[in-house]
Amino acid sequence: MKNQKRLWLCLVILILGCSILLEGVTAPSKCRCDVDPHKRTNCGLPGITSQECENSGCCFSSTVPGVPWCFKPTPPKYRKVCPADVKLRKDCGYPGISANECARRKCCFESKPPGVPWCFFHIFSEEEC
C-alpha cells in the first residue's frame, strides 16, 4: 500500500514537472514550418492533434499523405544586433571609451543616455521570416 502511494506521488510530481517544462512553448513561425514533406522529421505520436503538436513546439500539416503530419520545424536563424533596450546592454569597455576603441573591440557604441554603458556587446535576435 505504501509503495502504491509513493508511485502515485512520483507520477503526480512527474506530470507537474513536465507541465512546467512545456509552459511557454509556442508553435514555431509559419516560415519555419515550410519543410519539404519528404524531409520532415516526426515530432509526435500517431493520431496527435494539430493543437497538441503545436503546443509541443512542432509544426502540423496534414496536406500530404504518407509523411509525418506533426514534424520538427527548421532551426531558427539568428543575427547579431545592437540592443535597443538599454537594460540589455552589457559593458564591453570602460568609462570614457572612444567610439573607435569600442569598434576595435567589435562592440556596439552609443553615447546616450548617460549612466548606462556606451560601449556594449551585441545580442543575438531570432530573424523574422
Side-chain angles (χ1 to χ4, degrees):
M1 187 68 161
K2 279 186 179 183
N3 285 341
Q4 193 174 24
K5 286 182 182 180
R6 286 183 187 155
L7 179 63
W8 280 108
L9 179 62
C10 287
L11 185 61
V12 168
I13 291 170
L14 179 65
I15 291 170
L16 289 174
C18 288
S19 68
I20 289 169
L21 287 174
L22 291 177
E23 211 170 272
V25 174
T26 57
S29 58
K30 186 173 175 140
C31 66
R32 290 191 48 219
C33 291
D34 189 19
V35 177
D36 178 335
H38 299 286
K39 293 183 179 176
R40 293 177 181 172
T41 302
N42 198 4
C43 196
L45 299 172
I48 191 170
T49 67
S50 62
Q51 189 67 48
E52 291 169 331
C53 178
E54 291 170 358
N55 286 348
S56 66
C58 298
C59 303
F60 188 89
S61 174
S62 58
T63 58
V64 180
V67 298
W69 289 358
C70 182
F71 54 96
K72 292 182 181 177
T74 58
K77 293 180 183 172
Y78 294 93
R79 59 188 170 94
K80 228 166 67 166
V81 296
C82 294
D85 185 350
V86 295
K87 291 181 225 154
L88 297 176
R89 290 184 183 181
K90 302 290 182 220
D91 210 342
C92 183
Y94 50 86
I97 191 170
S98 70
N100 288 337
E101 176 59 25
C102 185
R104 277 194 287 277
R105 293 174 180 229
K106 297 184 175 19
C107 291
C108 304
F109 185 86
E110 188 174 345
S111 60
K112 57 185 176 190
V116 298
W118 289 1
C119 181
F120 47 95
F121 290 100
H122 291 90
I123 59 171
F124 290 92
S125 176
E126 190 173 332
E127 288 184 356
E128 296 291 324
C129 301

